[in-house]
Amino acid sequence: MRNHLLLFAAAAGTLMLSGCTQPQNKSTAESSTPAASTSETSSENLTIEFSGAENFTIKNPKLTVSLYGMDEKLADAPASLITQKEYEQKSVPFTIDLPVPKDAESKINPKPAGPAKYYVTISWDSDGNGKADEKGDIFIDYDKQFPNVKLNNEPQKIYLKVLK
């Protein structure tokens, strides 16, 4: 019984010590964040070519393109919004330049332990009924290819289709 009590006390002490060191690590990480935020004003463009095999009817030309990032090795972690921008397009195919902050990887939470993975989404009420991303709207063709992109200054291709 006495040994169990000593083990419990030792375990509690270890947990308390590890808890004391954790905030210090967080503040060290936070102190490096302002240095990274100084580069937020500069950005690069991600060129995205949208295409599709269907005949598209566009009644509402306004769409929003979003770029998300996540740790490639974390399957259950949610993706983080890096940037998004609204565009107007009256026909498909089309090409856009999406401004991407140079510190895009620093906007991913939780911070990637390995390589970061990026993908784009669109939100478009192309049929003009007041509701985006529903039957009749233009959407990313996930059956053809997932919209992964690389931030390497090369044009990226995304396939579109009409939701049915």
Side-chain angles (χ1 to χ4, degrees):
M1 179 73 163
R2 188 174 189 188
N3 287 340
H4 291 279
L5 190 55
L6 286 173
L7 281 172
F8 177 76
T14 303
L15 286 174
M16 287 176 45
L17 285 177
S18 67
C20 290
T21 59
Q22 224 169 4
Q24 186 178 9
N25 291 342
K26 278 186 180 177
S27 66
T28 304
E30 289 173 359
S31 67
S32 65
T33 303
S37 67
T38 57
S39 64
E40 278 182 357
T41 55
S42 56
S43 65
E44 298 175 355
N45 283 332
L46 173 63
T47 301
I48 306 171
E49 299 171 356
F50 291 94
S51 65
E54 300 180 33
N55 290 328
F56 297 100
T57 303
I58 302 172
K59 293 182 180 174
N60 176 13
K62 292 184 181 183
L63 73 140
T64 301
V65 178
S66 304
L67 174 69
Y68 289 87
M70 60 188 286
D71 188 331
E72 188 172 64
K73 295 181 181 183
L74 291 179
D76 293 341
S80 300
L81 177 64
I82 306 294
T83 188
Q84 70 183 152
K85 186 174 178 186
E86 190 172 283
Y87 296 90
E88 286 194 21
Q89 293 300 324
K90 296 181 181 176
S91 65
V92 175
F94 62 93
T95 301
I96 62 161
D97 286 325
L98 180 66
V100 179
K102 285 188 178 183
D103 63 340
E105 190 168 329
S106 70
K107 297 184 179 300
I108 299 173
N109 190 14
K111 302 294 179 210
K117 178 179 177 179
Y118 300 94
Y119 66 92
V120 294
T121 64
I122 65 168
S123 180
W124 197 351
D125 174 26
S126 62
D127 64 1
N129 70 354
K131 298 176 184 173
D133 309 325
E134 291 189 347
K135 185 177 176 181
D137 288 325
I138 298 172
F139 200 70
I140 292 176
D141 189 348
Y142 291 98
D143 296 329
K144 191 161 192 159
Q145 181 181 354
F146 194 80
N148 290 328
V149 293
K150 295 180 181 176
L151 306 183
N152 60 4
N153 295 327
E154 293 179 14
Q156 308 291 311
K157 192 164 207 122
I158 305 295
Y159 298 99
L160 300 175
K161 68 177 183 178
V162 175
L163 283 174
K164 296 181 178 172

